[in-house]
Amino acid sequence: MKSLKLHRPWPFLTAAFLIPLLAFLLACGPGQEPTPTPTATAKPVATPTPTSAPVAATPTPSPAKIKRGGVLRSGVSGDPAGFDPHMHAYQPTDPHSSANLYSYLLVNRVGSKVECDLCTEWKIENSGKTLVFNLVKNASFEDGSPLTSKDVVYSLKKMVGEIAGQAISPRCGLVKEYLAKDVAQPFEAFDAYTVKIHLSAPSAAVSQILAQNWCAVLKEGTLTKDVTKLPNGSGPFRIGQWDKGATMQLVPTPNYWKKDSKGVQLPYLDTLELVVSKDIDVMLASVVSGRVDKSSNLRDVGPDSYKLAEEFVKAGKGTIAMVGMSTNGGAIMNVTKPPFDDIKLRRVINLFLDRKSYAEIVFSGRAGVSMYSPPDYAAARTDKEVWDIIPGWGTGAKKAAEVEQAKQLLKETGFREGSPLSVYCFNSPGVEIKTAEWMVTQLGKLFNAELKCYESTATFFPVMTAGDYGVAGYIYGYGLPEPDIMLGSYFIAGGNRNWSGVSDPRINALYQQEKAELDPQKRIQLVRQAEDILLELTPWGPVPGGITSLLLSRSWGGWDPGLGLYFHNRHEYSYDTRVQ
């Protein structure tokens, strides 16, 4: 596997390690936006990079110079599974469509800045424990009904699972871990256009969680089943022509409520077209040929395709934009019921998997070591700390010894070599299905392994959430390199994406300490302690994490990768450079 270093064309400023931020928030007056400050320097992490440095995104001219009009085409790998963004976690076109069909309390458009979308300003009260949002008064849903504080509060409650019959949001539901426990209603519609969120303690993470493309505002009373086929949003675009399996055209919302700083009506584009290609290599070639203007995630394209992208960039025709690397996963095991309630069987799986093979087959070597902390976390471990050190991460003779150790350990379980084993998966084009296929190939050497795949998140996630599986091959995307998300979503008791069911009071306690700690080095130590416990418990068999990047042509202007993969899909400010 290649040992590479990740160059990021933006200041990746996380909420996780910001010492001065909370002090700044406490001094923030009306109308001031909390602006993240630079992270403290942490121990360098060995992370990968392409062989050519990415080019900065096309600069945005001043609004007075932007000409409205034009068509931009974004490559996606499938149709949306539905239009409830709260319930999306990974589906090929969900964030691409929903980010533009809905409005949000907060958004992240440029760099690390979180700013108002549906609010005119936001401020803090109660020593940082209450967030106050003053809403715009001219926003409305597609059905014509006005958007008010009741819609925002309903949406926040739905995200955290407080609406009867509605599941907690896999992405936005983490907000519940920050809510005040000593108030009757942590989400408050103070008046028709003022919303308050009451927290248990000051937090910089909440605003960034809510700025994700999943955390949209829905009309009060909207259930997931109500927006299965079509949305009722308040965003800059609406669905125009939709040729399922081929293209979805998004057209400007008539009389959209938002204008830019110069008073120019948004969005700038005449059409945002989502072009379906289930083969990521074909999609990349479509950018190079000019058929589309932006690809989806390039992390698992083949080496020849990636070389084609690099040549495209060297010729001055486009940009490879890095959008973070907060992904990891692998063999996700259900520790709550047989057979994987047996820690010996979990250790068998973890020892047997060949991580070097995974990095080369799935990511063509463009991957970094990833335990429970993804490669771009400050607490992530280096190559020297993992390879041939952590159980399951052996190479060469060390790996061969681990395989024999796994076979001997298997004899102490109720399983035998050749026993049947189903590997659950989500049949998404790209890294998810590649991970599951690789896992079945690997485990097929030890068991009679077969895939049990679901076609969409709408069918796969309920199975995982309910714990109706044994082992799954899956890759998570954390969205933010924020340890609160890593521990709070995946590994504390009751975490919104704790599919393995792992529950340990030591991890729960470390999470509470880490969440309240402001010193970056102490936070790293706490995360490492939690990860050491997870390595002992083995709810996962972690595998290397891949680079997240996009290929854009020079025709796409006004775009910025922002905080990462789940923030940059909103395109009301994107413009077609060919009409400028």
Side-chain angles (χ1 to χ4, degrees):
M1 186 173 70
K2 300 179 179 69
S3 178
L4 302 165
K5 180 183 177 184
L6 179 63
H7 297 278
R8 300 183 182 92
W10 75 96
F12 207 103
L13 310 179
T14 74
F17 303 99
L18 309 181
I19 300 175
L21 178 56
L22 293 180
F24 174 81
L25 285 172
L26 297 177
C28 181
Q32 291 178 292
E33 295 176 3
T35 303
T37 54
T39 61
T41 302
K43 186 177 180 180
V45 178
T47 52
T49 185
T51 55
S52 63
V55 182
T58 307
T60 305
S62 65
K65 296 180 181 179
I66 294 177
K67 295 180 181 179
R68 299 182 72 244
V71 178
L72 288 178
R73 297 174 174 86
S74 179
V76 294
S77 53
D79 290 312
F83 296 97
D84 180 357
H86 301 167
M87 294 315 297
H88 301 160
Y90 181 81
Q91 183 73 13
T93 62
D94 291 347
H96 297 272
S97 57
S98 293
N100 296 288
L101 296 169
Y102 290 94
S103 296
Y104 297 75
L105 193 56
L106 297 168
V107 291
N108 162 238
R109 292 195 303 110
V110 179
S112 60
K113 183 180 181 181
V114 174
E115 57 189 275
C116 278
D117 186 25
L118 281 169
C119 55
T120 58
E121 64 175 3
W122 60 296
K123 55 190 177 183
I124 67 164
E125 295 176 348
N126 189 24
S127 300
K129 294 195 291 184
T130 299
L131 304 181
V132 182
F133 301 88
N134 295 321
L135 305 182
V136 300
K137 298 180 178 180
N138 60 334
S140 61
F141 291 99
E142 192 170 343
D143 65 4
S145 56
L147 191 156
T148 70
S149 59
K150 290 183 178 180
D151 302 300
V152 175
V153 168
Y154 172 83
S155 298
L156 291 168
K157 288 182 175 180
K158 182 175 175 299
M159 292 175 202
V160 301
E162 291 185 6
I163 303 300
Q166 300 297 284
I168 188 171
S169 169
R171 297 288 182 191
C172 316
L174 181 59
V175 168
K176 74 182 179 69
E177 301 298 333
Y178 299 88
L179 299 179
K181 305 297 190 294
D182 57 351
V183 297
Q185 298 294 335
F187 302 123
E188 178 186 358
F190 184 74
D191 59 37
Y193 294 100
T194 306
V195 171
K196 294 186 177 184
I197 301 177
H198 301 284
L199 307 177
S200 59
S203 171
V206 170
S207 61
Q208 294 192 347
I209 294 169
L210 290 177
Q212 295 178 100
N213 292 155
W214 322 100
C215 307
V217 172
L218 308 183
K219 183 179 177 180
E220 184 182 19
T222 300
L223 305 177
T224 299
K225 66 181 180 63
D226 300 328
V227 286
T228 300
K229 295 182 178 179
L230 288 172
N232 180 26
S234 59
F237 293 91
R238 293 184 180 180
I239 297 175
Q241 183 176 340
W242 185 6
D243 182 4
K244 293 186 178 181
T247 60
M248 174 187 282
Q249 292 186 351
L250 303 182
V251 297
T253 297
N255 302 313
Y256 177 53
W257 56 271
K258 189 188 292 188
K259 296 180 180 180
D260 69 16
S261 61
K262 300 294 183 181
V264 177
Q265 181 66 52
L266 295 171
Y268 295 133
L269 294 172
D270 283 340
T271 304
L272 174 64
E273 185 172 346
L274 306 181
V275 180
V276 175
S277 175
K278 294 185 181 296
D279 188 318
I280 185 61
D281 294 282
V282 172
M283 186 191 300
L284 185 149
S286 296
V287 177
V288 173
S289 68
R291 181 171 179 262
V292 299
D293 305 294
K294 179 167 70 70
S295 76
S296 61
N297 200 339
L298 301 181
R299 65 186 173 187
D300 52 336
V301 297
D304 292 340
S305 292
Y306 201 83
K307 182 178 180 181
L308 184 66
E310 290 179 317
E311 291 172 350
F312 185 70
V313 171
K314 288 178 182 178
K317 297 179 179 180
T319 301
I320 294 177
M322 298 297 159
V323 288
M325 198 175 150
S326 301
T327 59
N328 73 345
I332 314 301
M333 292 172 278
N334 184 353
V335 307
T336 66
K337 66 180 186 180
F340 289 100
D341 58 344
D342 184 345
I343 193 171
K344 291 181 179 179
L345 184 58
R346 300 199 300 273
R347 288 174 176 170
V348 167
I349 300 294
N350 184 62
L351 285 167
F352 197 81
L353 297 176
D354 184 346
R355 274 74 174 185
K356 286 285 186 180
S357 162
Y358 177 81
E360 291 299 333
I361 290 173
V362 177
F363 294 120
S364 300
R366 299 188 306 276
V369 295
S370 179
M371 303 305 299
Y372 294 93
S373 292
D376 60 354
Y377 273 38
R381 303 180 190 233
T382 64
D383 283 5
K384 291 182 179 180
E385 293 174 298
V386 173
W387 291 112
D388 293 323
I389 301 295
I390 301 293
W393 290 75
T395 64
K398 176 74 172 178
K399 184 75 247 176
E402 287 179 339
V403 168
E404 289 306 312
Q405 183 183 355
K407 291 179 178 180
Q408 291 303 313
L409 190 59
L410 183 64
K411 296 177 181 178
E412 301 176 21
T413 72
F415 267 59
R416 294 291 181 266
E417 289 191 43
S419 294
L421 181 69
S422 293
V423 175
Y424 285 66
C425 60
F426 164 39
N427 192 18
S428 168
V431 66
E432 281 76 16
I433 189 61
K434 287 184 178 180
T435 296
E437 290 172 344
W438 168 84
M439 193 173 299
V440 162
T441 300
Q442 286 273 303
L443 297 180
K445 302 172 184 176
L446 194 59
F447 303 102
N448 180 16
E450 63 176 3
L451 286 176
K452 187 170 183 178
C453 282
Y454 293 80
E455 292 303 314
S456 72
T457 55
T459 52
F460 177 63
F461 285 170
V463 170
M464 300 297 289
T465 302
D468 293 333
Y469 78 102
V471 59
Y474 189 70
I475 295 297
Y476 290 97
Y478 285 170
L480 279 169
E482 164 59 63
D484 285 8
I485 293 178
M486 187 270 283
L487 290 177
S489 286
Y490 299 85
F491 302 116
I492 66 169
N496 60 301
R497 296 191 80 190
N498 185 353
W499 292 344
S500 69
V502 63
S503 179
D504 189 289
R506 295 173 295 172
I507 295 176
N508 298 339
L510 286 166
Y511 169 67
Q512 295 300 329
Q513 293 177 51
E514 179 276 326
K515 189 172 66 170
E517 180 59 62
L518 298 182
D519 184 287
Q521 294 305 317
K522 289 182 179 179
R523 293 192 82 190
I524 290 173
Q525 292 171 10
L526 291 167
V527 171
R528 285 289 187 95
Q529 290 178 47
E531 189 171 72
D532 285 342
I533 296 170
L534 289 167
L535 289 170
E536 169 197 333
L537 298 175
T538 324
W540 295 5
V543 294
I547 295 173
T548 301
S549 61
L550 308 174
L551 181 65
L552 296 89
S553 75
R554 287 295 183 188
S555 58
W556 202 297
W559 181 88
D560 187 276
L563 281 167
L565 186 61
Y566 304 138
F567 295 85
H568 64 70
N569 297 291
R570 191 171 174 85
H571 296 300
E572 59 191 344
Y573 286 92
S574 290
Y575 62 90
D576 189 340
T577 63
R578 293 164 294 200
V579 302
Q580 303 305 312

